[in-house]
Amino acid sequence: MNAPTEQPARLTVATCSLAGCFGCHMSFLDVDERIVELAQLVTFDRSPLTDVKHCSERVDVGLIEGGLCNVENVEVLREFRASCRYLVAVGSCAITGGVPAVRNKFTLESCLREAYIDAPGIDNPHIPCDPEIPLLLNKVRPIHEVVRVDYVLPGCPPPAEAFWELLTALIAGREPELAYEHRRFD
Amino acid sequence: MSETKNTFTLDGQPVVFEAGQTIMNAALAAGHYIPHLCHHREFKPHGSCKVCTVRVNGWLSASCTTPASAGAKVESEAPDIQEARRRIVQMLFIEGNHFCPFCVKSGNCQLQAVAYHLGMEDTSLPHRFPSRAMDASHPDVVLDRDRCINCSLCVRASRDADGKDLFGLSGRGIDTHLVVNSSTGLLKDTNIDANDRAIQVCPTGALLVKRRGYEQPIGERRFDAQAIECEFESKY
């Protein structure tokens, strides 16, 4: 007799890392046992956590950590952006370039020389140029300089509570609101 | 309304002022916080950062340099003013090199705290990543121009409180930068001292005492639990 009630469509969530340290992903996992609850509310798509390499056709929320330091980062970001309804810049590197952007004070050539030619104890000094290795960008860039960003989670890393607030808000169809203590630049 | 003789309204609330007081000083004395970076109550106003911009009888004006006037209608927390302030602070961030994740001043930094107060979560503008000279020549004090916002508080404090006149702002517009008043332009050739007021008033981590850092654990720093406005609202 009971007609099956229509379940709201489960949100699809993808995650991705560019020039970052995976610290943001580790912080996401600090939601601890709530990951079980989350897995019942959303479907995980492309992510280092699922080892799926490319997004499905339709992803609702894409969380991306890390900035842009090479051409592969740019390609991955553009593909990810095209797949995601809402793109979330996660952490200092995605939002500002972060620690990798410290090299922006120096020319790319001087960075490569320091690492591969001039540093002490180097055998066969030469700058790697294998086509398998993505070319480095002249400057490390935050992702908003290349694609449109819908939401941000500041922090290095953002606390697990910030991830939880963002995802539960989007699941509930409301705007995320980060508490003062969960809105940090460090 | 005879009581408006020495009173203006700040977002609808009456604020009593003394003759000659600026809107900023009257507001702070009455326990109302107006966000600011280049203002410090001990020093002459500079009016350069514009974070304290308010609307006085319909006109935008820096509250740290505008004299309070009887019956004025001052708006501070109107959404468009807050949005403009947020944009100003975002520009301060992208103009310099502010690496909060590892900065010694993080958690005790007023630039960061004002950003938090204004609800700033990202920079949203293209970052300049400028190349600026660091001065680590002095044994006890370091000047990291990457973090300098040209507020000139050290200039005023060194001149008016320390009596040394060690700093100045040079250049114009985007090329404005902090210079050191010594024959070499370096801190090592000055009589700066680690206890100088010029260092203490720096709102960012541009002027720091060497061999001191990360003294408080995360969670116990100045702005970790308490927002900057609470500090001002309780102090006055």
Side-chain angles (χ1 to χ4, degrees), chain B residues 23-55:
Chain B
I23 291 173
M24 170 69 83
N25 281 337
L28 291 178
H32 300 286
Y33 175 67
I34 298 174
H36 55 270
L37 285 166
C38 75
H39 170 78
H40 193 291
R41 68 187 186 287
E42 288 175 32
F43 302 107
K44 283 182 189 166
H46 193 241
S48 59
C49 79
K50 307 297 181 197
V51 171
C52 74
T53 297
V54 291
R55 190 158 35 230

Side-chain angles (χ1 to χ4, degrees), chain A residues 89 91-106 139-142 144-145 149-157 166 176-186, chain B residues 93-94 97-102 106-107 111-113 115-134 144 146 218 221 223-229:
Chain A
S92 290
C93 299
I95 295 170
T96 70
V99 174
V102 173
R103 81 153 155 95
N104 288 352
K105 274 181 99 74
F106 309 98
K139 300 280 179 201
V140 176
R141 294 283 170 192
H144 71 260
E145 294 190 22
V149 171
D150 299 295
Y151 293 100
V152 298
L153 290 182
C156 185
L166 175 99
E177 205 166 311
L178 298 181
Y180 178 80
E181 64 272 23
H182 299 145
R183 196 159 43 78
R184 285 296 118 98
F185 298 163
D186 62 2
Chain B
F93 268 88
I94 61 105
N97 292 308
H98 298 278
F99 293 105
C100 295
F102 57 82
S106 192
L111 176 63
Q112 204 180 53
Y116 293 158
H117 168 79
L118 295 171
M120 180 188 137
E121 294 182 347
D122 63 357
T123 47
S124 84
L125 301 162
H127 284 239
R128 288 187 69 240
F129 296 119
S131 188
R132 295 178 179 174
M134 180 188 275
D144 186 347
D146 278 352
I218 290 175
R221 300 168 303 179
F223 301 116
D224 277 342
Q226 181 175 270
I228 191 166
E229 64 270 25

Side-chain angles (χ1 to χ4, degrees), chain A residues 20-31:
Chain A
C21 71
F22 274 92
C24 295
H25 274 82
M26 299 310 292
S27 189
F28 179 30
L29 293 178
D30 280 342
V31 297

